[in-house]
Each structure stands twice: as C-alpha cells, then as structure tokens.
Amino acid sequence: MVTIIVLAALVIAFFIFASLYTDYAWFAQLGFQQVLTTRWIAGTLMFVAGFLGMAVPVYLSIALAFRFRPVYAKLNSQLDRYQQVIEPLRRAVMIGIPVVLGVFAGLSTSGRWSMVLEYFNRTPFGKKDPQFGLDIGFYVFELPFWRSIVAYSSAVVLIAGLAALAALYLYGAMRFGGREVRISRAARVQLAVTAAVYIALQAVSLWLDQYATLAKNNSLITGAQYTDVNAVIPGREIMAGIAAIVAVLFIVTAVIGRWRISIVGTGLLLVAAIVVGGIYPWIVQRLQVKPSEGSYESSYIQRNIDATRDAYGVATTQEQNYDAKTSASSGALASDAQTTANIRLIDPKIVSDTFSQLQQYRQYYKFPDTLDVDRYDIKGQTEDTVIAVRDINLDGLSAKTNTQYNRTFVYTHGYGVAAAYGNQRASDGKPVFLESGIPSSGALGDFQQRVYFGENSPQYSIVGAPKGSKNIELDYPSGSEESDDANSGGNATTTYAANGGPSIGNFFNRLVYAAKFQSEQILLSQRVNADSQILYDRNPVQRVQKVAPYLQTDQDAYPAIVDHRIVWIVDGYTTTNAYPYSQSASLQASISGAESSAYSTDQVNYIRNSVKATVDAYTGKVTLYAWDTSDPLLKTWQKIFPTSLEPVSSMSAELLDHVRYPTDLFKVQRSILATYHVTDANSFYSGDDAWQTPQEPTKEANSDSSSSDSSAITNTTTNGLGVQSTTTTNADDLQDPYYLTMKVPGSETKYSLYTTYIPQQSGRGADSRNVLTGYLAVDSDAGGAGKGKKASGYGKLTLLTMPKTDNIPGPLQVQNLFNSDTNVSQELNILKRGNSTVKQGNLLTLPVGGGFLYVQPVYVQSTSSGSYPLLQKVLVAFGDKIAFEDTLDQALDTLFGGNSGANAGDQGVSDGSSDSGSGSGSSDSGSSDSGSSDSGSTGSGSTDSGSSGSGSTDNAALQKALDEAKQALSDRQEAYANNDLVAAAEADQRLQDAIEAATKAEGGN
C-alpha cells in the first residue's frame, strides 16, 4: 500500500512539474518569462502569507486554550470520554487542523496576487471623487486591498475563536450548569481579547464601507445618492465608532472579568445597526426623497453623468445637431463623392461561403464564418477590403487521411489570404478579388503566406527538421491533383524554419510534453528529431491573454498584411469596477447588446483600449504596444511587468495603417451613450431622451438562415489572472456597428466605425417608434502620420443628433419599407423562384446628401449543394423613397432623379478577373459553377473555367426572361398610375409569361 501511495504521489508530482516546466518553456520561447515568474513568485508569496495568516493564529488559539486549561477541573462523563478519544491524537489535531485550514486559506489568497501587486505599484489618477475628495486611485487600488485584508483577518479571528471555544469546552475551561456558565480566568481573557479584535475589525470594515458606497449599484444610478450621503455614510461612521467602543469594552472585560458591560455594548451595536443602518435610511428615502426624488437626486445624478462619461472615454464626444433632409433631389451626392465611391457592398457575414467555394481549394482549409473588413493602399488609392485567412481545418480531413500522424506532422498550417474589394462586384455577382489563388497573388504584394498561428490552428503540431531532411509538412495543393495525400505529386511541402515553439529535441522535453498532451506519439514517433519544435496555444487572442493577464481582449482578432507578413491585431482593455460614481455594466452584455443577468460577474465601470497587440501568423511572436499611456491602470502594470510592453514609437507606419478603433470598445461606448449623451441631470432623470441601438433589421428577412427568437446566452470565461466570470444574457440581436470609409458632417473623409440610435422603448409592439434619433461615428484610422505616430483624429467620437420633431426613418423602418414595397417584393419573388433563396445583406446608413442614405446589397443563392451567395441587386433608400437596381450606381441615379451627382464603386461592373488572379482560383474551386448557375439572378450567365456551353445558353435565356419580367413590372406600374386597366392587364400577362420562361430556363440548368 505504501509503495502504491508513493508511486501515485510521484506520478502526480511529475504531472505538476510537467505543467510548470512546459509553461515556463512556452513563456521563455516568447520572451515573456518575467510575466510568468512574477506571477509564480507573487502567487507563492500570497499562498505563504495566506497559509501562515490562518494556520498560526488558529494554532496559537488552540495551544493557548490547552496550555491554560484547568488541570484539576471536574469533567462530566461525556467530556471525559471525548478527551480519552482525542488525547492520543491531540498533537496531530493541534497541528493538522491549522495546517488544513492554512492550505485552503493559502489557495484562496494566492489568486489575489494581482490585487496586491496593483496596490504596491499603484498610480494616482490625478482626479478626485466629489464626495470625499480622494484620488480615484484610492478606490481602484487601495480600497479593495484594505477591504480584502479586513475580510480575511475577520475570517481568521472568527475561525480561531471557534477553535478556542471548542478546545476550552473540551478541557473544562467552560462549563455549563443549568443557567450558570463558568469560565476560567484564562479562558475569559482569551475569548474577550479575541472578541475585541473581531469587533475592532468590524469597526474598520464599517469605516471602509462608507467609501464603497461611491461604487454601489443603486436602482437609479451607480454611486452614493442623497440617502447614502445623508444617512448611510454618517450611519456607517457612527456604527464604526460604536464598534470601536465595544471592542474596548471587551478589553475591559478581559481585565476586570465583567461580561455584562461588553454584552450590553454588543446589544447596543446591534440596535444601532438596525436603527442607524436600516430604519433611518429607509425613513429618509421613503418619506423625504421619494416624493421629490428628481430634486433631491439631481446633484448626485450629475456626479454619475460626469464620472460615467469620463470613465468610459466618451466625455470628449463632439455632439452636433443634424437636421437631416428626407427629399432626394438630383445631384444631392455631389459633395459626398468620395463616400459614395467607398460604399461597401460586400457583406462579410454573408460572403464566407462565396470565399470558401471560390478560394478554399481543399476541404482541409477553412475561412471564418464572418470575414474581416480592413483597408489597403491599392495603386495609390485607399480601398476598403473584405479579407480572410485561409486557415487549416483538420476536421475537414477524409477518414483515410485523418490519422494522428497527419494531424501532428503533416497538416500543420493554413496558407495565404483572400481579399476582395468592398465596393465592387463582378458582373455575375461574385466578389472582385484583389488577392486570391494559392499561393495567393494580387495587389497585396509579396508576404510570408504560411499561417502556423491562427484562429483555427490545431491544438498542437510538431514541426522542424535538420537541413537536408525531406519535407513532410503539406504547404499547399498545387497542379490539378485532387488527392488529400500530402506526399502526392500535386502538393507542395515544406519544413518550418522559424523559432515558434519550445524545443522537444531531447528526450526529457519529449517526455514532459507527452505528459502535458497525454500523447505517447510525442515520445515515441521517429518524426521527432533534434530540431523539432512543438507549437501550441496558437489562437492569437489566447496568446495575448497569456502574456498579458491583466487585459480583457477584444473578441475579434483581425488579420493584416504588414511589412510582408500576416499579423493578427488584437485589442486589449484595462478595466475596473471601482471607479466612483461611474455607471456599472456587464462587459459581455454591453458587447452582445443583451440584458445582463443579476448574477453577472463581469461588471465594469471603467475601460480603456490601453494595449494594441500583434501576433505573427508564421512565428507566433507576440508584441504588446502601450497604446494609451495616460491610463493609470496600464502605468501600474508597466511597473509590475516593465519589460513586456513596447512604446507606440516602435510601431511601423504600415502597422499603424491597419490599426483600427476596436469594435468591442465601441459597442460598450454606444451602450453608455444611449443614455449618457444626456448631460443634464433633470432630463436624464425624466428619461425623455433615452435611446437604444436598433435590432438587426435583416433578422426576419433572413429568418431561413438565422433564428428569430431571443435566447439566453451563458458565457463562462477565465481571464489571464485566472479569474472566472460567468455571465448570463438574453441575446437581442442588436445591429452591429460597421466600418466604412466616409465623411461625417464636420469632418474629413475617414475610415470610420458607426452605429445608429432609435428611441428607447420597453416593447416591440405597434406603438414602438423606430425613427432615427442619433448617429454615432468614431475616427478609426490610426495611420497616415508615419512610423510611431498616431493620426491626430484617431478616436474622435462624433454624435449626430436629430431634431426631436423630425421623423427620420430608422433601420427597421427602412427595412420594412423595402420588404413591403410591391415592386421590390415581386422582383424578390422572381429571384426566389426555383431552387434559390434571397439573403439581404447588412443595411448600411450613411450621412450624405444632407440626410441619411440607406444601402443594402441583395444576394441570391441556390439551395443546391456547393452553391454560394452572389450579389445580384442593391436596395437604396433616402427618406421614404427607395430604388432597387442591379448595381449601386444605377440605384443611386434612380433614387436621386436620374443623377445622384456621384459615382459608386460598382459603376463599371468588373468581370471579376482584374487585379485578382481569381481565374486560377476559380478553376480549382470545384464548385464555382453551381453558385452562379443556380442563382437565377442577373449576371449569372458569366461562367467559370470548365463550365459547359449549354450552361451559358441557359443563363442567357434566364437573363432575357428576367429583363422581360422587369420591364413588364415597370409597364404595369405605369399603367396603373395612368388608370389604363387594359395596358395593366397586358403587362400582367407579359409578366406571367416572363416568369414561366425564367422558371423553364432555370430548370434547364
């Protein structure tokens, strides 16, 4: 048995050692070992402090009770039996109980290392709270530290006191006889002193609690309100004073032996807690404040408004009135030509399937479900682009090739990117690729295309080999081979040549990593050699979280081609929930646009985008840049990890050109500004100008492909500090903010991120008002100023507010206008005939022409296997007027009286081959025909290489039928307008004939 226990202990110890050793190897390989060692040292010291802080007092309490026990006390028979049982184990119990309690206490305190380090490295905010006049840093760094110390000490004293009571009773120092309680002198002193210390700690706790009221969540605001300031805070001070007096009374009891005075004092403390801490504040709130709440709370609401706007970084938002026009006049877009030319038609949420069918090439590659939007300089012109990394997808391997060997050594990385112009479309509705093919080529130039560190990378891969060894890693498919075999003649192979992971070239490292991943192949495989490396923890966001455990990271890491490499850019945030008077909110709920559960544990009331991080897709190198150097939280962590952050001055100009304002931060800020755009306390209290973000307008229109019901979402996350947060939210499908290059009134044309607002409403009934009340945009372009310099306007928030008397249609109203229009619905029904579905893309809102222009791309997709969405139509609206045409340029001209005054990016519809090299990509996709031939939409006559001539003929017939149907619809509308029922009947007949012809032509495909 002893041998088994020893062996089990050794095995457990080895696995613990393997975990620690591999962690260090991972951090050391990245150059962040100081982060790990600091955490280890701090955590160990906190464990020791917690262990000793609990174990020593409990041991002393038990030892004192035993040392001063009455030796000749007469015990009853029951206690005598207890003593006989415990006495042989007394020494083990006296040591064992404190040790066990100490271990639990140490484990609890070791997780609080970050709070302690923040306290000892704290940085002042340079701003004072309006109630006590203390620096904000006191509430963020000092108050949590001291409250934790007091809470821990109270627990220790309470447990030590209970242990003393048990020991004193067991050894006869306390005896109960009827109503009489006999306590020895030594026991009286010990218990009285213990009680005095405990009550004194409660006095300190009550005193600190008054400061905590400044970050307390109330029903109206976060922060101390009238009742808190005038009843609760003075009450805490009074009770703290009474508690201090009671603590002194217990010391008196220890000296003179009179329990009555301390018991009476404790009773008075309890009565004071009820009267001063409960009844009096209730009376003040109910009888004084409630009848005139707006007046009493006005100054405290103003404190909340000012603090909230500052804590969320929206205090400098430039608000301007925008009296939007609703009439579309000829030439109205002339002054917004640059914005019009950059309107993005490619919806990154819809075209993932299109990218996959045209650019994926093999089933072991994968594009993300939602692509990313970026901008690139193409021939001297900045172009908004939709870009995606072609990542590896091991789940796509066939059963024959899905072996552990292939998963570990062969299929190790993705390859290249695909990028399309955001504002262009090919004649058949495909994206116009500016970078495509495999290896990819196009306008983005030469760059390292291998993606060893991506969002879909395997759990681990083993790479590397001595020079001259045979390449075994699949690099990319080449030629016309369709085999999955990496060693076939149709595939290029490679060997990883960077330093991207810890070495497993020696037996010991192979052993510990075999233990970590519980894989004997790491230890036994002959493919592991002296130059082998193991790549793991490869997700960009995960890597940043590990090396910067103090950050909350943005949910979306986006790729960019920077300095001839693919890099992932990740935004990091510093947050706290201790900023006095700032409104507290669930971080996840603010980002997802949902209602937060009362039990959410991710509350914040201060946030800064303090760090920009990059992860090299080939080497895995993580670089952290100190972006917001004015943030006191970041300054504090720079003191803790002085070598982990690089200055902005070291960022290349090309990297800065791709840095953008983060989406998650913007979502949090838009949630705050929905109510905190109001800066007058009285108006804020009345809520007469509260807003909200509209729901996603295409949710019902695209209900075939997405759920239309709200659902509960439970998010459980563990940040780099090891703190687990569980948040339950009710998904509400709010409209996403969108990146667009556009001109916001009062500013120059910039790459921007925007969102819209409608009036806040409690329901979705017929009385809901979905008019536009606000339009928030932020300058998202950090580049253009050169190496190491942020653009001067980056981060500038602009809020356009509509006059309250205006009824500018909001996104939901415009979507309803589109869906209810007779002509639009008829044409959409034509597109849906046969085996096709229609997907309405993102509804964009642009402040142009003196009003708001709405643009929505319309995609058509066959329901057959291997099909993909094709952009076939564009819907536009201005005021209550709409247009529905094949191209955006045509739609704008139709909308604005035949001449919009500006050209859209799809003015000359491309054939899809310019600047893209997509011809070679299409030939290998294996499914490009099906998307166009089944769509039944304009432009589908264009075919890919390998399509048959009959397909072209049938598509031409389909196009002719659609044109005839469109003309018949137009003639029918004109006939009804002229009250010519005969002409209307003839147009109806031609429309029916055209529909039948279209159906027949589509069936032939």
Side-chain angles (χ1 to χ4, degrees):
M1 177 61 71
V2 174
T3 303
I4 294 175
I5 293 174
V6 171
L7 289 176
L10 289 175
V11 170
I12 293 172
F14 175 74
F15 275 97
I16 294 173
F17 169 78
S19 177
L20 297 175
Y21 180 85
T22 54
D23 278 349
Y24 184 83
W26 189 91
F27 277 87
Q29 188 275 326
L30 280 174
F32 285 90
Q33 62 266 38
Q34 192 244 349
V35 172
L36 184 65
T37 54
T38 299
R39 290 184 58 180
W40 280 354
I41 294 171
T44 301
L45 292 176
M46 288 296 296
F47 177 86
V48 172
F51 175 84
L52 295 178
M54 175 65 74
V56 171
V58 172
Y59 173 79
L60 290 176
S61 185
I62 297 174
L64 287 172
F66 177 77
R67 171 70 177 80
F68 295 102
R69 70 192 184 283
V71 179
Y72 301 107
K74 184 178 180 180
L75 304 178
N76 59 44
S77 58
Q78 186 175 14
L79 283 179
D80 191 53
R81 286 197 300 271
Y82 287 159
Q83 277 197 17
Q84 291 177 7
V85 172
I86 294 176
E87 188 61 28
L89 303 172
R90 175 175 54 79
R91 185 172 296 276
V93 170
M94 288 181 64
I95 296 176
I97 290 178
V99 168
V100 171
L101 291 172
V103 169
F104 281 107
L107 292 173
S108 175
T109 57
S110 64
R112 307 302 298 272
W113 64 269
S114 59
M115 179 193 68
V116 175
L117 288 181
E118 283 185 302
Y119 172 78
F120 286 108
N121 294 276
R122 59 191 181 274
T123 303
F125 274 65
K127 297 178 181 179
K128 295 183 177 181
D129 80 90
Q131 178 62 35
F132 298 103
L134 299 174
D135 187 88
I136 303 299
F138 168 79
Y139 300 91
V140 174
F141 302 119
E142 299 181 48
L143 185 59
F145 175 81
W146 289 115
R147 293 188 78 192
S148 295
I149 292 291
V150 171
Y152 174 79
S153 300
S154 297
V156 170
V157 173
L158 182 61
I159 292 173
L162 292 174
L165 277 173
L168 291 170
Y169 176 71
L170 184 63
Y171 286 100
M174 294 179 61
R175 286 172 292 179
F176 299 90
R179 294 184 179 181
E180 186 179 17
V181 180
R182 293 182 177 275
I183 304 176
S184 68
R185 181 176 180 278
R188 183 194 73 223
V189 172
Q190 182 175 357
L191 292 177
V193 171
T194 301
V197 173
Y198 183 79
I199 297 297
L201 287 170
Q202 303 320 299
V204 176
S205 178
L206 288 166
W207 186 263
L208 294 176
D209 283 348
Q210 65 177 318
Y211 301 111
T213 58
L214 269 61
K216 183 183 72 172
N217 288 326
N218 295 306
S219 58
L220 183 60
I221 60 171
T222 294
Q225 299 176 205
Y226 181 89
T227 300
D228 295 313
V229 171
N230 294 279
V232 175
I233 290 176
R236 298 279 167 81
E237 294 174 344
I238 292 171
M239 287 190 293
I242 295 174
I245 294 173
V246 172
V248 173
L249 293 179
F250 272 102
I251 296 297
V252 172
T253 295
V255 175
I256 67 175
R258 299 288 298 273
W259 285 98
R260 185 182 301 276
I261 56 173
S262 56
I263 293 174
V264 170
T266 303
L268 290 176
L269 177 61
L270 294 175
V271 171
I274 295 172
V275 175
V276 179
I279 296 176
Y280 178 64
W282 182 87
I283 292 174
V284 172
Q285 178 66 27
R286 189 74 176 179
L287 303 182
Q288 183 178 357
V289 176
K290 205 67 177 177
S292 304
E293 189 175 50
S295 299
Y296 279 102
E297 303 291 10
S298 178
S299 60
Y300 304 103
I301 292 174
Q302 193 62 53
R303 290 180 179 182
N304 174 256
I305 292 172
D306 295 339
T308 301
R309 289 173 62 89
D310 180 71
Y312 286 92
V314 298
T316 58
T317 301
Q318 295 189 4
E319 185 174 342
Q320 53 182 292
N321 294 324
Y322 187 63
D323 192 2
K325 299 177 183 178
T326 56
S327 58
S329 58
S330 179
L333 302 183
S335 60
D336 297 293
Q338 193 172 356
T339 297
T340 306
N342 284 286
I343 295 176
R344 179 173 50 76
L345 295 174
I346 303 301
D347 186 345
K349 285 190 173 181
I350 289 182
V351 299
S352 177
D353 287 344
T354 307
F355 270 54
S356 295
Q357 291 296 329
L358 297 178
Q359 295 294 321
Q360 181 173 309
Y361 297 105
R362 294 291 188 271
Q363 71 275 12
Y364 47 77
Y365 288 129
K366 178 182 176 65
F367 287 111
D369 294 334
T370 300
L371 310 187
D372 289 291
V373 178
D374 203 348
R375 67 276 188 211
Y376 286 87
D377 186 277
I378 309 298
K379 298 179 180 179
Q381 180 72 30
T382 300
E383 299 280 0
D384 286 7
T385 61
V386 176
I387 187 171
V389 164
R390 188 183 295 105
D391 213 340
I392 194 71
N393 177 29
L394 296 185
D395 292 336
L397 293 175
S398 65
K400 178 181 177 181
T401 57
N402 192 9
T403 64
Q404 186 62 33
Y405 178 87
N406 280 341
R407 295 173 70 91
T408 303
F409 299 99
V410 178
Y411 296 92
T412 58
H413 62 282
Y415 202 94
V417 301
Y421 291 97
N423 61 345
Q424 297 182 29
R425 47 160 288 185
S427 57
D428 59 356
K430 298 175 186 174
V432 178
F433 290 99
L434 58 91
E435 189 75 24
S436 61
I438 186 166
S440 61
S441 61
L444 301 185
D446 296 328
F447 57 93
Q448 172 58 261
Q449 299 192 30
R450 298 173 181 90
V451 181
Y452 282 86
F453 296 85
E455 295 176 309
N456 203 54
S457 296
Q459 180 187 21
Y460 69 91
S461 296
I462 296 176
V463 298
K467 290 183 179 180
S469 300
K470 180 181 178 181
N471 296 333
I472 63 167
E473 296 179 52
L474 170 70
D475 207 21
Y476 58 86
S478 60
S480 58
E481 296 282 348
E482 294 296 332
S483 172
D484 289 338
D485 185 0
N487 296 316
S488 71
N491 291 321
T493 55
T494 189
T495 297
Y496 187 67
N499 180 22
S503 170
I504 55 171
N506 59 65
F507 177 81
F508 179 76
N509 282 6
R510 292 166 68 177
L511 181 62
V512 294
Y513 276 102
K516 177 179 178 65
F517 292 108
Q518 299 180 25
S519 172
E520 72 284 353
Q521 189 173 89
I522 297 175
L523 185 63
L524 302 177
S525 176
Q526 294 181 356
R527 295 305 314 180
V528 181
N529 55 74
D531 291 336
S532 290
Q533 304 172 44
I534 185 166
L535 311 182
Y536 62 98
D537 288 344
R538 299 159 72 177
N539 184 285
V541 172
Q542 181 186 15
R543 292 177 78 80
V544 172
Q545 285 178 332
K546 287 189 68 172
V547 301
Y550 49 90
L551 294 178
Q552 298 280 349
T553 51
D554 197 277
Q555 296 177 351
D556 181 30
Y558 61 97
I561 309 301
V562 176
D563 301 323
H564 306 291
R565 309 189 74 85
I566 301 174
V567 298
W568 297 94
I569 301 176
V570 182
D571 286 283
Y573 311 114
T574 44
T575 63
T576 182
N577 193 37
Y579 198 101
Y581 274 107
S582 176
Q583 192 65 30
S584 180
S586 164
L587 183 62
Q588 183 61 40
S590 298
I591 293 171
S592 64
E595 294 184 5
S596 174
S597 165
Y599 303 103
S600 60
T601 56
D602 65 339
Q603 297 286 316
V604 302
N605 66 0
Y606 172 93
I607 185 170
R608 289 291 186 271
N609 179 205
S610 53
V611 172
K612 299 286 187 181
T614 62
V615 178
D616 191 295
Y618 184 68
T619 66
K621 179 183 178 182
V622 179
T623 307
L624 306 176
Y625 298 98
W627 187 251
D628 187 351
T629 54
S630 64
D631 175 32
L633 283 170
L634 181 63
K635 290 180 179 179
T636 295
W637 284 106
Q638 282 184 293
K639 295 176 186 176
I640 299 169
F641 302 130
T643 62
S644 63
L645 289 156
E646 300 288 337
V648 172
S649 59
S650 64
M651 299 178 75
S652 70
E654 191 169 354
L655 174 58
L656 285 166
D657 286 341
H658 294 281
V659 168
R660 69 188 190 189
Y661 201 81
T663 307
D664 284 357
L665 175 61
F666 188 71
K667 286 181 178 180
V668 172
Q669 290 176 325
R670 78 171 178 180
S671 175
I672 289 299
L673 281 173
T675 49
Y676 285 89
H677 69 277
V678 177
T679 56
D680 177 73
N682 293 325
S683 178
F684 183 94
Y685 177 78
S686 66
D688 61 338
D689 196 22
W691 302 341
Q692 69 181 44
T693 306
Q695 289 179 274
E696 173 54 50
T698 64
K699 181 180 178 182
E700 293 184 6
N702 296 333
S703 58
D704 290 341
S705 58
S706 62
S707 172
S708 59
D709 297 325
S710 295
S711 58
I713 299 175
T714 300
N715 295 286
T716 301
T717 58
T718 303
N719 65 15
L721 299 179
V723 179
Q724 189 176 80
S725 299
T726 301
T727 307
T728 301
T729 56
N730 294 317
D732 207 24
D733 290 318
L734 299 186
Q735 188 179 31
D736 284 333
Y738 297 119
Y739 290 100
L740 291 174
T741 296
M742 63 181 182
K743 180 180 180 181
V744 179
S747 303
E748 298 179 355
T749 302
K750 291 286 186 181
Y751 185 68
S752 304
L753 182 63
Y754 84 87
T755 191
T756 57
Y757 290 110
I758 60 174
Q760 190 178 92
Q761 44 215 299
S762 57
R764 303 176 185 176
D767 59 342
S768 298
R769 296 183 69 244
N770 289 300
V771 297
L772 205 63
T773 55
Y775 186 92
L776 178 66
V778 61
D779 185 343
S780 299
D781 196 348
K787 181 181 184 297
K789 297 179 181 178
K790 300 183 199 176
S792 58
Y794 173 84
K796 174 188 173 184
L797 289 159
T798 301
L799 180 62
L800 305 180
T801 58
M802 312 305 119
K804 294 182 179 181
T805 56
D806 285 2
N807 286 310
I808 309 300
L812 289 169
Q813 282 189 352
V814 171
Q815 189 66 60
N816 183 63
L817 192 64
F818 288 157
N819 296 342
S820 61
D821 183 86
T822 304
N823 293 332
V824 171
S825 62
Q826 287 178 342
E827 292 203 42
L828 290 178
N829 286 334
I830 293 174
L831 295 175
K832 292 177 183 178
R833 291 186 65 92
N835 297 322
S836 297
T837 59
V838 172
K839 294 183 178 181
Q840 294 173 252
N842 43 209
L843 182 59
L844 305 178
T845 309
L846 298 99
V848 296
F852 285 99
L853 172 69
Y854 288 91
V855 178
Q856 184 176 62
V858 177
Y859 291 83
V860 178
Q861 181 175 4
S862 168
T863 56
S864 61
S865 176
S867 64
Y868 49 87
L870 295 171
L871 175 58
Q872 299 294 357
K873 292 283 186 177
V874 180
L875 281 161
V876 294
F878 193 93
D880 57 358
K881 186 177 180 181
I882 69 172
F884 187 35
E885 300 292 345
D886 293 341
T887 68
L888 176 59
D889 199 61
Q890 294 170 2
L892 292 179
D893 284 340
T894 301
L895 187 67
F896 290 93
N899 180 21
S900 66
N903 297 323
D906 67 344
Q907 179 189 20
V909 175
S910 169
D911 63 3
S913 61
S914 62
D915 295 331
S916 67
S918 60
S920 61
S922 299
S923 66
D924 285 338
S925 69
S927 56
S928 56
D929 288 340
S930 60
S932 56
S933 63
D934 289 335
S935 67
S937 52
T938 304
S940 59
S942 178
T943 61
D944 294 322
S945 59
S947 60
S948 65
S950 62
S952 300
T953 303
D954 290 337
N955 283 336
L958 177 61
Q959 181 60 51
K960 180 181 178 182
L962 291 174
D963 291 341
E964 290 175 352
K966 181 178 178 182
Q967 184 60 47
L969 280 172
S970 178
D971 294 344
R972 178 178 179 273
Q973 184 178 9
E974 183 179 356
Y976 277 119
N978 297 330
N979 201 26
D980 187 346
L981 299 182
V982 176
E986 293 176 351
D988 280 336
Q989 184 60 47
R990 287 190 284 112
L991 176 61
Q992 183 63 33
D993 293 342
I995 291 174
E996 292 177 359
T999 303
K1000 182 178 179 180
E1002 187 175 38
N1005 289 333

